Amino acid sequence: MRHSSGPACRAWAAHRVRPLNALVAQFLRDWRIALRSRHEMTTPLMFFAVVVMLFPLAISPEPEQLAAIAPGVIWVLALLASLLSLEGLFKRDFSDGSLEQMVLSAEPLFLAVVGKLLAHWCAASLPLVIFAPIAALALSLPLEALSTLLASLLLGTPTVACLGAVGAALTVSLGRGGMLLALIVMPLYIPVLIFGTSATSFAVAGLSVAGPLAWLAVLAGLSLTLAPFAVSAAIRMACEE
Amino acid sequence: MSELSTPSNPRVLSSMPLCRAIGLRCERGGRELFSDLSFTLDRGVMLELRGPNGSGKSTLLRALAGLYPDVDGEIDTCDLAYFGHRGGLSPTLTVAENLAWFSGLAGTTADDVPGLLRRVGVPYPNRPLSELSAGQQRRVGLARLMMTGERKPLWLLDEPLTALDSAGEALVGELIDEHLACGGGVVCATHQDLPVVPGLRIELGH
Amino acid sequence: MGMLKTFWHRLGSPPWMYGIARPWMWGFGVLAAVLIPAGLIWGLFIAPPDYQQSDAFRIIYVHVPTAILAQSCYLMIGIAGFVHLVWRMKLADVVLQEALVIGASLTALALITGSVWGRPMWGTWWEWDARTTSMLILLFLYFGIYALREAIPRPDSRARASALLAVVGLINIPIIKYSVEWWRTLHQPSTFSMVEQPKMPAEMYLPLLVLVLGFYAFMGAVLLARIRVELLNRESGSSWAQAEARRLLSS
């Protein structure tokens, strides 16, 4: 096709399509927004910290007892904290119309979704992973299990973010979707919870952690490849109203 | 002028109409908004949708954009840009960042953003969008529409004059004229008279 | 953007489905009416008592079929969801909706009968056994889809969102099952499991087989009956449904 020439027909955008641009552009956009609304990044983290504090008070300050529950407590809290940040993942974009522009213009949509998920993971999960060792020490988790805890969180949180994003996208157009989101995604989180806590407990007991960590890696690979398509389909549905 | 870079899309041929709708029918809340609605939009033509509030103008536009599936009938469109009630711009980001996001999303890179913003009368690329007035935000939306350039031959505009001053209204007219002159097409829902004479007009809500 | 067909793919037209479901419903119903009483009499009165659990084991004749069906129902929901997502078939959403209710009820029933069986077996009403835990998770998967459906007001969005969630759940179920079994082996090496005992004699498992088939037939009949009612409900504005409703009311 050739447009009729003349100054009016000036092209305002370069026309070579590079699909990865969609991923990078979406990542940069969401990452910038996250940095500028810092409270949204820090609130889940503070929630995590304050609930960790409750366990010694509620159960016992005995190091042995705390160490026994530490992997479970940290993982369960990581899942709960992820819910806090997930609720806003698409809400704002949905209400200001960015989501429908994304659906209409992204080429291809699933790469933009991957960019969005990456930014979400960096803004919401990475701070938790970094903070987790402090919580682990407060809960008397032995030092030698620390690296495994970190590895399990690093490998497990991408799956949590991906599955959570599917739930968040499905509930974005509903008024108050928070509890519903929890009901939808919690059963799906169970394998990550099992392998994540087992890996850490194995490390405490001095067993080999390769098995559960390998499983976490497999789950992360699976969800990173499949979830963007499910999320794309779900946000398309959300915009069709 | 540059060739359109999407030869993979066989629908974008100069002889093809930009948009074809056959026998559209829509019911909302048990009430029929429109039925047996058919039209063909050729290059260089603007279709104006008129009608009172609730007559289905926005619904028809969203259906054409593929954002409203509950319409019976057949719709066939080329690549399109949609300028709706919701701006699709993040208030947290600056004007330039919003535009960069949008061009990147479509897989392109924005060039001459300052020139573009001068054209729409908002020469503040580094201001957060939340600091702009409603009218200025609409103008940034117009800049984004222009950025789609030749890649989106069909523009779907939903009340494009909302919140704009008289200079802004004139600007909308100019942009539409230019787009039509380039062989693009426009479907515009409005309740105000546009500064462009439409080639086609559909009255909804009778 | 390609061709946008807003015509629904009416692969199964509602009046056709409504008609064809009727003989199948009766067929399954008769089959269930024969198999279930036969299986129950055989299992509860004729089959020999278990050497360890004596008569307590007989609850498997209800527990095992419900547990199998509960999982089959999710498989059906997942397939219906897939069909709805790919072909946008309206009928698939009716199947999903009705199988959802049946599946959730069966899962709850399997949990309850399991718990009743657990009391004499393990001395506790609830045991975090791999099967029980998987069943509980399945119940929450059902609840999730149900709650999502309840929350979405527009029928079309409701159908598509729940179809997507059903497919996501279906992909996850094998992973969940595997991880739960793996988790159980960590905490207690293989628990006593009645069902997996290979030396279960024929006179004990044959009635079980009859009952599983009978329950399947029963579920088929109930599902088809519910589908017929739901089709009438959804098509209440159309002439065929109104004619059918008048016919039903007059007879």
Side-chain angles (χ1 to χ4, degrees), chain B residues 3 7 22 26 36 44 46 68-69 115 125 127 133 143 177 180-181 194 200:
Chain B
E3 285 273 331
I22 303 165
C26 178
D36 201 24
M46 177 167 102
Y68 190 83
R127 275 207 204 161
S133 73
D177 272 335
L180 295 178
L194 285 170
L200 286 168

Side-chain angles (χ1 to χ4, degrees), chain B residues 70-71 73-77 79, chain C residues 1 3-4 6-7 154 156:
Chain B
D70 261 6
V71 173
E74 209 171 312
I75 296 172
D76 190 6
T77 66
D79 279 341
Chain C
M1 188 160 155
M3 193 81 158
L4 190 88
T6 39
F7 273 130
R154 261 190 62 219
D156 181 53

Side-chain angles (χ1 to χ4, degrees), chain A residues 36, chain B residues 90-95 97-98 124-132 137:
Chain A
R36 277 170 215 175
Chain B
S90 168
T92 322
L93 296 179
T94 66
V95 173
E97 285 166 344
N98 266 303
Y124 320 114
N126 294 322
R127 275 207 204 161
L129 211 79
S130 53
E131 288 178 13
L132 301 185
Q137 294 190 16

Side-chain angles (χ1 to χ4, degrees), chain C residues 109-128:
Chain C
L109 195 60
L111 281 169
I112 293 167
T113 51
S115 162
V116 170
W117 186 25
R119 182 69 191 146
M121 284 278 296
W122 295 307
T124 162
W125 291 108
W126 184 258
E127 172 77 21
W128 288 98

Side-chain angles (χ1 to χ4, degrees), chain C residues 63-130:
Chain C
H63 174 71
V64 172
T66 48
I68 291 175
L69 251 68
Q71 299 175 57
S72 305
C73 257
Y74 201 95
L75 182 67
M76 185 147 69
I77 287 176
I79 292 171
F82 182 78
V83 169
H84 186 85
L85 283 183
V86 175
W87 292 286
R88 299 238 180 149
M89 204 205 278
K90 278 181 177 176
L91 188 66
D93 181 56
V94 180
V95 174
L96 191 151
Q97 179 184 327
E98 299 310 326
L100 181 64
V101 179
I102 298 174
S105 321
L106 285 169
T107 313
L109 195 60
L111 281 169
I112 293 167
T113 51
S115 162
V116 170
W117 186 25
R119 182 69 191 146
M121 284 278 296
W122 295 307
T124 162
W125 291 108
W126 184 258
E127 172 77 21
W128 288 98
D129 156 79

Side-chain angles (χ1 to χ4, degrees), chain A residues 2 9 12 15 26 96 107, chain B residues 3 5 88 101 111 151 182:
Chain A
R2 200 172 279 278
C9 294
W12 294 98
H15 280 178
Q26 190 65 40
D96 70 18
E107 283 181 24
Chain B
E3 285 273 331
S5 67
W101 165 64
D111 61 339
R151 293 171 36 78
C182 294

Side-chain angles (χ1 to χ4, degrees), chain B residues 121-197:
Chain B
V122 192
Y124 320 114
N126 294 322
R127 275 207 204 161
L129 211 79
S130 53
E131 288 178 13
L132 301 185
S133 73
Q136 286 173 317
Q137 294 190 16
R138 292 294 281 180
R139 283 165 183 257
V140 177
L142 291 176
R144 188 183 59 196
L145 195 61
M146 292 168 70
M147 243 168 47
T148 60
E150 301 156 357
R151 293 171 36 78
K152 312 278 185 185
L154 177 61
W155 283 3
L156 304 177
L157 314 178
D158 197 353
E159 303 287 1
L161 302 185
T162 306
L164 291 176
D165 53 17
S166 52
E169 290 176 6
L171 175 69
V172 171
E174 283 170 35
L175 295 182
I176 291 178
D177 272 335
E178 286 172 15
H179 187 62
L180 295 178
C182 294
V186 176
V187 181
C188 178
T190 182
H191 61 269
Q192 286 164 273
D193 279 324
L194 285 170
V196 183
V197 181

Side-chain angles (χ1 to χ4, degrees), chain A residues 96-184:
Chain A
D96 70 18
S98 304
L99 210 57
E100 71 190 12
Q101 290 298 337
M102 200 171 141
V103 165
L104 286 174
S105 304
E107 283 181 24
L109 178 58
F110 88 92
L111 275 184
V113 167
V114 171
K116 197 165 184 56
L117 291 179
L118 277 179
H120 173 73
W121 184 79
C122 290
S125 302
L126 205 53
L128 272 184
V129 176
I130 293 166
F131 179 73
I134 303 171
L137 292 179
L139 293 174
S140 313
L141 190 79
L143 277 175
E144 58 270 23
L146 222 55
S147 57
T148 310
L149 175 71
L150 270 182
S152 74
L153 284 169
L154 274 175
L155 288 171
T157 45
T159 310
V160 171
C162 284
L163 289 171
V166 177
L170 282 173
T171 52
V172 65
S173 58
L174 311 174
R176 291 178 300 131
M179 297 304 271
L180 182 60
L181 177 62
L183 181 59
I184 288 175

